[in-house]
Amino acid sequence: MAKNKPTSWAGALMHALTHRSDGGHERIAKKPVSERLGWLAKRNRGNEEKTAAAAGVTKRTLRSWLSGKSKPSAKSLEKLAKAERESMTKLVSAKDRAEIDSSTKRVGTRSRDTRVSGGAYLSGTIRISNDERDRTIQFGRHLPSGFMEEVRAAFVEGGQEAAISKMEEGLGQHYFHTSDFEILSVDELSFDGISDPLGDVGDSEGRYVSDTETLRPGDILED
């Protein structure tokens, strides 16, 4: 990802997950139901059966909503929102989604070994406790394998705030070792697949620390 002007943390993460900007789904959800269904139908190449299945309704119900003869219930609107968010994640190509999904793996300090390459990283302004400054963090080498799939699932299930919350929970637990941090702006956010010829080895907690290194709450490992 080429370096651009600083953007918000939410905007950078949503662009990576959906190729849409901050609040992308919220804007879709404010449109009339007929327009939302039209958008979903477009994502399913106009296939009525697939569109109805994505929305969790029958084709008859779909037609009724489109014609305005009936309106979806609150529960149906929730299903529609999830279908829209799932479709948004598929605006990112399957190849790029696979790259994102392979960008996290607990290799920890062993990532300093030249045989390990890649991994998700972020450059931007980050506050940790009272220390606010520009940082570059290779957080992908400290988060569990498959973590970004969990972030994507959180977006589908609960929307943008749920995805951000899941992402920050992982960063706090596995990278910053504290919840007292804030990503103030992002210059670059990239998700490169990790290449690790040594495979899965580590301590009982899945961390990779040397015999002389001890992690304490608040410690971070800057790569």
Side-chain angles (χ1 to χ4, degrees), residues 94-122:
K95 179 181 178 181
D96 286 347
R97 290 199 306 272
E99 185 82 358
I100 291 171
D101 292 346
S102 65
S103 69
T104 63
K105 183 180 181 182
R106 288 173 175 160
V107 293
T109 56
R110 187 161 55 78
S111 67
R112 294 168 186 165
D113 186 318
T114 57
R115 287 171 290 185
V116 178
S117 62
Y121 71 89
L122 179 154

Side-chain angles (χ1 to χ4, degrees), residues 55-220:
V57 298
T58 64
K59 289 191 289 184
R60 181 177 179 180
T61 298
L62 180 68
R63 292 171 190 154
S64 182
W65 288 353
L66 283 168
S67 66
K69 290 181 180 179
S70 66
K71 295 182 179 180
S73 65
K75 186 175 181 179
S76 293
L77 285 174
E78 185 178 340
K79 287 183 179 180
L80 176 59
K82 289 181 182 178
E84 290 165 342
R85 291 193 292 264
E86 184 167 7
S87 292
M88 288 178 71
T89 66
K90 292 177 181 177
L91 295 172
V92 179
S93 71
K95 179 181 178 181
D96 286 347
R97 290 199 306 272
E99 185 82 358
I100 291 171
D101 292 346
S102 65
S103 69
T104 63
K105 183 180 181 182
R106 288 173 175 160
V107 293
T109 56
R110 187 161 55 78
S111 67
R112 294 168 186 165
D113 186 318
T114 57
R115 287 171 290 185
V116 178
S117 62
Y121 71 89
L122 179 154
S123 292
T125 304
I126 302 173
R127 177 191 62 77
I128 303 173
S129 189
N130 295 320
D131 183 7
E132 178 184 322
R133 55 190 166 94
D134 291 342
R135 304 173 189 268
T136 295
I137 59 171
Q138 290 185 311
F139 62 89
R141 301 181 186 185
H142 301 276
L143 271 62
S145 298
F147 183 78
M148 291 310 300
E149 294 177 71
E150 296 181 25
V151 173
R152 187 183 299 112
F155 171 72
V156 172
E157 188 66 25
Q160 177 174 305
E161 291 305 314
I164 294 171
S165 178
K166 182 66 180 177
M167 192 77 221
E168 292 181 348
E169 176 188 333
L171 288 171
Q173 180 179 355
H174 300 290
Y175 188 83
F176 294 116
H177 305 286
T178 178
S179 60
D180 187 12
F181 73 92
E182 184 179 6
I183 300 172
L184 300 170
S185 66
V186 176
D187 295 319
E188 186 173 7
L189 178 62
S190 182
F191 295 91
D192 301 323
I194 288 179
S195 174
D196 178 18
L198 296 181
D200 294 313
V201 295
D203 66 16
S204 61
E205 297 181 4
R207 295 186 305 184
Y208 295 83
V209 295
S210 69
D211 292 338
T212 58
E213 183 173 23
T214 301
L215 289 178
R216 297 166 299 176
D219 285 350
I220 63 170

